[in-house]
PDB file of all heavy atoms in Angstrom:
ATOM      1  N   LEU A 233      71.122  75.183 113.626  1.00  0.00           N
ATOM      2  CA  LEU A 233      70.007  76.079 113.352  1.00  0.00           C
ATOM      3  C   LEU A 233      69.868  77.086 114.492  1.00  0.00           C
ATOM      4  O   LEU A 233      70.363  76.878 115.601  1.00  0.00           O
ATOM      5  CB  LEU A 233      68.705  75.292 113.211  1.00  0.00           C
ATOM      6  CG  LEU A 233      68.642  74.284 112.057  1.00  0.00           C
ATOM      7  CD1 LEU A 233      67.328  73.521 112.094  1.00  0.00           C
ATOM      8  CD2 LEU A 233      68.806  74.985 110.713  1.00  0.00           C
ATOM      9  N   LEU A 239      65.484  83.013 117.508  1.00  0.00           N
ATOM     10  CA  LEU A 239      64.207  83.056 116.785  1.00  0.00           C
ATOM     11  C   LEU A 239      63.276  84.114 117.366  1.00  0.00           C
ATOM     12  O   LEU A 239      62.603  84.845 116.625  1.00  0.00           O
ATOM     13  CB  LEU A 239      63.542  81.687 116.825  1.00  0.00           C
ATOM     14  CG  LEU A 239      64.177  80.604 115.948  1.00  0.00           C
ATOM     15  CD1 LEU A 239      63.471  79.271 116.173  1.00  0.00           C
ATOM     16  CD2 LEU A 239      64.097  80.988 114.483  1.00  0.00           C
ATOM     17  N   ASN A 240      63.222  84.213 118.687  1.00  0.00           N
ATOM     18  CA  ASN A 240      62.395  85.242 119.306  1.00  0.00           C
ATOM     19  C   ASN A 240      62.853  86.643 118.908  1.00  0.00           C
ATOM     20  O   ASN A 240      62.029  87.530 118.655  1.00  0.00           O
ATOM     21  CB  ASN A 240      62.425  85.099 120.829  1.00  0.00           C
ATOM     22  CG  ASN A 240      61.582  83.927 121.319  1.00  0.00           C
ATOM     23  OD1 ASN A 240      60.658  83.492 120.630  1.00  0.00           O
ATOM     24  ND2 ASN A 240      61.893  83.419 122.494  1.00  0.00           N
ATOM     25  N   LEU A 243      61.801  87.224 115.295  1.00  0.00           N
ATOM     26  CA  LEU A 243      60.355  87.423 115.186  1.00  0.00           C
ATOM     27  C   LEU A 243      59.953  88.809 115.680  1.00  0.00           C
ATOM     28  O   LEU A 243      59.091  89.470 115.087  1.00  0.00           O
ATOM     29  CB  LEU A 243      59.622  86.343 115.987  1.00  0.00           C
ATOM     30  CG  LEU A 243      59.580  84.955 115.333  1.00  0.00           C
ATOM     31  CD1 LEU A 243      58.986  83.934 116.309  1.00  0.00           C
ATOM     32  CD2 LEU A 243      58.766  84.983 114.043  1.00  0.00           C
ATOM     33  N   TYR A 257      55.282  89.032 106.723  1.00  0.00           N
ATOM     34  CA  TYR A 257      56.193  87.924 106.994  1.00  0.00           C
ATOM     35  C   TYR A 257      55.371  86.682 107.307  1.00  0.00           C
ATOM     36  O   TYR A 257      54.170  86.781 107.596  1.00  0.00           O
ATOM     37  CB  TYR A 257      57.139  88.249 108.153  1.00  0.00           C
ATOM     38  CG  TYR A 257      56.490  88.356 109.510  1.00  0.00           C
ATOM     39  CD1 TYR A 257      56.497  87.281 110.386  1.00  0.00           C
ATOM     40  CD2 TYR A 257      55.894  89.549 109.928  1.00  0.00           C
ATOM     41  CE1 TYR A 257      55.916  87.369 111.634  1.00  0.00           C
ATOM     42  CE2 TYR A 257      55.314  89.652 111.179  1.00  0.00           C
ATOM     43  CZ  TYR A 257      55.316  88.558 112.034  1.00  0.00           C
ATOM     44  OH  TYR A 257      54.736  88.656 113.275  1.00  0.00           O
ATOM     45  N   ALA A 258      56.007  85.542 107.226  1.00  0.00           N
ATOM     46  CA  ALA A 258      55.321  84.277 107.468  1.00  0.00           C
ATOM     47  C   ALA A 258      56.172  83.405 108.371  1.00  0.00           C
ATOM     48  O   ALA A 258      57.409  83.499 108.371  1.00  0.00           O
ATOM     49  CB  ALA A 258      55.045  83.554 106.149  1.00  0.00           C
ATOM     50  N   VAL A 259      55.524  82.548 109.129  1.00  0.00           N
ATOM     51  CA  VAL A 259      56.203  81.592 109.996  1.00  0.00           C
ATOM     52  C   VAL A 259      55.787  80.191 109.559  1.00  0.00           C
ATOM     53  O   VAL A 259      54.597  79.888 109.473  1.00  0.00           O
ATOM     54  CB  VAL A 259      55.829  81.810 111.473  1.00  0.00           C
ATOM     55  CG1 VAL A 259      56.506  80.754 112.348  1.00  0.00           C
ATOM     56  CG2 VAL A 259      56.233  83.206 111.921  1.00  0.00           C
ATOM     57  N   LEU A 260      56.790  79.377 109.251  1.00  0.00           N
ATOM     58  CA  LEU A 260      56.532  77.999 108.820  1.00  0.00           C
ATOM     59  C   LEU A 260      56.886  77.056 109.973  1.00  0.00           C
ATOM     60  O   LEU A 260      58.021  77.062 110.458  1.00  0.00           O
ATOM     61  CB  LEU A 260      57.383  77.664 107.587  1.00  0.00           C
ATOM     62  CG  LEU A 260      57.290  76.240 107.047  1.00  0.00           C
ATOM     63  CD1 LEU A 260      55.887  75.963 106.523  1.00  0.00           C
ATOM     64  CD2 LEU A 260      58.331  76.026 105.947  1.00  0.00           C
ATOM     65  N   ILE A 261      55.937  76.279 110.409  1.00  0.00           N
ATOM     66  CA  ILE A 261      56.156  75.338 111.511  1.00  0.00           C
ATOM     67  C   ILE A 261      56.090  73.911 110.961  1.00  0.00           C
ATOM     68  O   ILE A 261      55.119  73.534 110.298  1.00  0.00           O
ATOM     69  CB  ILE A 261      55.101  75.527 112.612  1.00  0.00           C
ATOM     70  CG1 ILE A 261      55.190  76.953 113.188  1.00  0.00           C
ATOM     71  CG2 ILE A 261      55.298  74.496 113.730  1.00  0.00           C
ATOM     72  CD1 ILE A 261      54.136  77.251 114.232  1.00  0.00           C
ATOM     73  N   CYS A 262      57.151  73.145 111.200  1.00  0.00           N
ATOM     74  CA  CYS A 262      57.240  71.775 110.677  1.00  0.00           C
ATOM     75  C   CYS A 262      57.260  70.764 111.828  1.00  0.00           C
ATOM     76  O   CYS A 262      57.788  71.052 112.912  1.00  0.00           O
ATOM     77  CB  CYS A 262      58.506  71.601 109.842  1.00  0.00           C
ATOM     78  SG  CYS A 262      58.636  72.723 108.438  1.00  0.00           S
ATOM     79  N   ASP A 263      56.737  69.608 111.565  1.00  0.00           N
ATOM     80  CA  ASP A 263      56.793  68.508 112.523  1.00  0.00           C
ATOM     81  C   ASP A 263      57.301  67.272 111.789  1.00  0.00           C
ATOM     82  O   ASP A 263      56.903  67.005 110.654  1.00  0.00           O
ATOM     83  CB  ASP A 263      55.402  68.248 113.114  1.00  0.00           C
ATOM     84  CG  ASP A 263      55.454  67.114 114.140  1.00  0.00           C
ATOM     85  OD1 ASP A 263      56.287  67.205 115.062  1.00  0.00           O
ATOM     86  OD2 ASP A 263      54.688  66.154 113.996  1.00  0.00           O
ATOM     87  N   LEU A 264      58.208  66.552 112.426  1.00  0.00           N
ATOM     88  CA  LEU A 264      58.774  65.364 111.794  1.00  0.00           C
ATOM     89  C   LEU A 264      57.919  64.151 112.152  1.00  0.00           C
ATOM     90  O   LEU A 264      57.819  63.763 113.329  1.00  0.00           O
ATOM     91  CB  LEU A 264      60.214  65.147 112.256  1.00  0.00           C
ATOM     92  CG  LEU A 264      61.169  66.333 112.050  1.00  0.00           C
ATOM     93  CD1 LEU A 264      62.569  65.962 112.506  1.00  0.00           C
ATOM     94  CD2 LEU A 264      61.173  66.765 110.598  1.00  0.00           C
ATOM     95  N   ASP A 265      57.328  63.533 111.154  1.00  0.00           N
ATOM     96  CA  ASP A 265      56.466  62.370 111.394  1.00  0.00           C
ATOM     97  C   ASP A 265      57.289  61.157 111.840  1.00  0.00           C
ATOM     98  O   ASP A 265      58.370  60.903 111.313  1.00  0.00           O
ATOM     99  CB  ASP A 265      55.691  62.013 110.123  1.00  0.00           C
ATOM    100  CG  ASP A 265      54.684  63.090 109.751  1.00  0.00           C
ATOM    101  OD1 ASP A 265      54.278  63.844 110.671  1.00  0.00           O
ATOM    102  OD2 ASP A 265      54.322  63.205 108.578  1.00  0.00           O
ATOM    103  N   ILE A 286      68.184  66.914 108.128  1.00  0.00           N
ATOM    104  CA  ILE A 286      67.018  67.761 107.865  1.00  0.00           C
ATOM    105  C   ILE A 286      67.404  69.239 107.964  1.00  0.00           C
ATOM    106  O   ILE A 286      66.978  70.072 107.148  1.00  0.00           O
ATOM    107  CB  ILE A 286      65.892  67.419 108.857  1.00  0.00           C
ATOM    108  CG1 ILE A 286      65.352  66.014 108.562  1.00  0.00           C
ATOM    109  CG2 ILE A 286      64.759  68.441 108.788  1.00  0.00           C
ATOM    110  CD1 ILE A 286      64.460  65.467 109.651  1.00  0.00           C
ATOM    111  N   LEU A 290      66.972  71.983 105.018  1.00  0.00           N
ATOM    112  CA  LEU A 290      66.272  73.253 105.222  1.00  0.00           C
ATOM    113  C   LEU A 290      67.182  74.445 104.940  1.00  0.00           C
ATOM    114  O   LEU A 290      66.771  75.420 104.311  1.00  0.00           O
ATOM    115  CB  LEU A 290      65.736  73.329 106.657  1.00  0.00           C
ATOM    116  CG  LEU A 290      64.591  72.369 107.013  1.00  0.00           C
ATOM    117  CD1 LEU A 290      64.293  72.472 108.514  1.00  0.00           C
ATOM    118  CD2 LEU A 290      63.358  72.689 106.201  1.00  0.00           C
ATOM    119  N   LEU A 294      65.884  77.132 102.079  1.00  0.00           N
ATOM    120  CA  LEU A 294      65.182  78.351 102.516  1.00  0.00           C
ATOM    121  C   LEU A 294      66.097  79.553 102.446  1.00  0.00           C
ATOM    122  O   LEU A 294      67.274  79.451 102.728  1.00  0.00           O
ATOM    123  CB  LEU A 294      64.655  78.162 103.939  1.00  0.00           C
ATOM    124  CG  LEU A 294      63.676  77.009 104.147  1.00  0.00           C
ATOM    125  CD1 LEU A 294      63.275  76.907 105.611  1.00  0.00           C
ATOM    126  CD2 LEU A 294      62.434  77.213 103.287  1.00  0.00           C
TER     127      LEU A 294
END
Side-chain angles (χ1 to χ4, degrees):
L233 298 177
L239 287 176
N240 285 337
L243 284 173
Y257 68 97
V259 177
L260 177 65
I261 299 177
C262 301
D263 181 53
L264 305 182
D265 293 337
I286 292 168
L290 291 174
L294 300 178

